[in-house]
Amino acid sequence: MSTRTHVLVPLALALLVALAGCTAIGGGPGDQDGDGPGEGQEIRSEVANEMASIDSYNYSMVTAVEFQDNEQVTESSGTVDVAAQRMVSESVTTVRTNSSRTRQGSTAYVFGEQQCLELGGSWEQSTVDRSPWRSGTNVSVLTELLNSSSARLSNDTYRGQDVHVIVVEPSDDAVQTLLGDTGSDVEFTGVTYTQYVDTESKRLLRSDMNATYFASGREVDLTVSMRFSDFNTSHPIELPRAAVGSNGNGPCAGMAGNGSDANLAL
């Protein structure tokens, strides 16, 4: 696993959440609502407004990448504090091939545009490639995504709760535009987002993504399943002492401001 891969994990999370809130608006070409266009548009607008008002939440996520007989599965969980522009993610990645099976854990903190990553027992601070907090910079891209997407709305139950199910299928070109310059030759196709929204609170409970992408001419299947909980009740996100150092001279000390104990986890 490369450091760059882990740097992109929290960013991917933030983009998925932003996309989930925005695509809840729907209304692109080929839009089909089970409850009728008027009601469907109203529901999706309510979802977008509710998600935009959330300051913090917890999440769990499973990402699976499969190609030929190989598989990489990453299980992550963490907290996102939108108001404070902080997030933390703990992940375990398992890689299976024909002849081997490896397992490695990591922890990533993001404060603003700085990340502190623990991998293999070592901490490292770096700048994220693209800020996960500047959603405004993606408005035009997301608008283009919506205008070239088809959306379907239906009703169901999820874990005993009544939910709206929103299925969004953006065009391949729109997805590539959203990804922007990631410094790779990855090309996505067949992307589908399925979102489960509580009918009463209008909050996103689960978001699934299925896609195929091509990297260096190789076809890869990607699935991502995210669950959200504890809206506006998450605990403060603080750097561990191992990352900051007892005297403020640790590898991620630059993210702790003045190094006061208010920024440190015991």
Side-chain angles (χ1 to χ4, degrees), residues 114-186:
Q114 291 294 309
Q115 174 178 261
C116 182
L117 171 69
E118 182 276 321
L119 185 63
S122 299
W123 293 89
E124 178 183 344
Q125 181 180 339
S126 61
T127 301
V128 295
D129 289 350
R130 295 167 60 190
S131 172
W133 313 111
R134 296 179 182 175
S135 58
T137 61
N138 296 316
V139 170
S140 61
V141 176
L142 290 169
T143 299
E144 180 181 346
L145 178 71
L146 294 178
N147 290 336
S148 60
S149 301
S150 63
R152 301 188 302 276
L153 173 68
S154 62
N155 296 314
D156 206 337
T157 59
Y158 172 69
R159 293 188 171 181
Q161 293 179 256
D162 293 330
V163 295
H164 300 301
V165 181
I166 304 169
V167 180
V168 179
E169 297 178 348
S171 70
D172 296 345
D173 290 342
V175 172
Q176 288 303 126
T177 302
L178 177 65
L179 291 174
D181 182 14
T182 59
S184 68
D185 58 354
V186 174

Side-chain angles (χ1 to χ4, degrees), residues 2 53 63 114 129 147 153 176 208 219 227 240 261:
S2 66
S53 69
T63 302
Q114 291 294 309
D129 289 350
N147 290 336
L153 173 68
Q176 288 303 126
D208 296 339
E219 181 175 322
R227 291 174 173 79
D261 288 346

Side-chain angles (χ1 to χ4, degrees), residues 69-71 95-102:
D69 295 327
N70 304 303
E71 179 185 53
V95 178
R96 300 183 181 90
T97 67
N98 287 332
S99 58
S100 66
R101 181 178 185 274
T102 61

